[in-house]
Amino acid sequence: KAGVTQTPRYLIKTRGQQVTLSCSPISGHRSVSWYQQTPGQGLQFLFEYFSETQRNKGNFPGRFSGRQFSNSRSEMNVSTLELGDSALYLCASSLQAGSYNEQFFGPGTRLTVL
Amino acid sequence: DQQVKQNSPSLSVQEGRISILNCDYTNSMFDYFLWYKKYPAEGPTFLISISSIKDKNEDGRFTVFLNKSAKHLSLHIVPSQPGDSAVYFCAAQTGANNLFFGTGTRLTVIP
């Protein structure tokens, strides 16, 4: 069974631009969560989607948004990029939403904002 | 505000010895705790978990201990192997699915 895939793997943007990252969950998984990893903060939860609905949201500004499609694939968008948005963005999928559902992580997209 | 903390950014251990990675949390609503392992250029992979109703869970060389009164958990790896060298994240959950992660501890096992 294929794992979680994320595209692109690396991305360089400049301040003020916007970016869209894509995540394809493991086949049959319906929940997708997004995390931001930075050296000082570790992994921080962005949001979770389940059945095309945002189920949970972390403490990030409205410039960060996401969506999920009927095939469970998910995208996240960051508008008006800032230098501080440079990070590794990880998505994770699980069979169902809710606690105790093991999350499987993709390799991440490394975003650099210049 | 960091609800899950790993105060040791790095740890070096000789092969064959015990590795002890520590984690503290502040939110008493957390009811499920996990450890993830991360190699460079890969996403975190699940290692072991423990429910708040238990104080110990063991899986092969890996044991997680939970001390709820101290809001502290630890991961013991015995014996440590060079392949265990990675960054280890502890994480905690409430009823929702989102995980609160610590900042990670880089473990280096010296052959």
Side-chain angles (χ1 to χ4, degrees), chain A residues 2 14 24 42 44-45 64 66 71-72 83 94 100-101 111 113:
Chain A
T14 55
S24 292
Q44 292 188 294
F45 172 74
F64 292 81
N71 61 358
S72 294
L83 294 179
S94 57
Y100 315 127
N101 281 280
L111 172 65
V113 182

Side-chain angles (χ1 to χ4, degrees), chain A residues 6 21 34-46 60 64 76 83-91 105-112, chain B residues 2 6 36-45 86-90 101-106:
Chain A
Q6 292 187 246
L21 312 181
W34 288 89
Y35 295 85
Q36 181 196 63
Q37 184 187 0
T38 55
Q41 299 291 322
L43 282 82
Q44 292 188 294
F45 172 74
L46 281 154
F60 277 82
F64 292 81
M76 69 162 278
L83 294 179
D85 297 333
S86 294
L88 180 68
Y89 290 88
L90 292 157
C91 91
F105 283 83
T109 294
R110 171 76 59 188
L111 172 65
T112 302
Chain B
Q2 196 76 24
Q6 293 176 258
Y36 280 81
K37 177 178 175 179
K38 186 179 186 300
Y39 292 117
E42 295 181 13
T45 55
V87 177
Y88 289 78
F89 291 95
C90 71
F101 281 88
T103 50
T105 297
R106 181 177 301 279

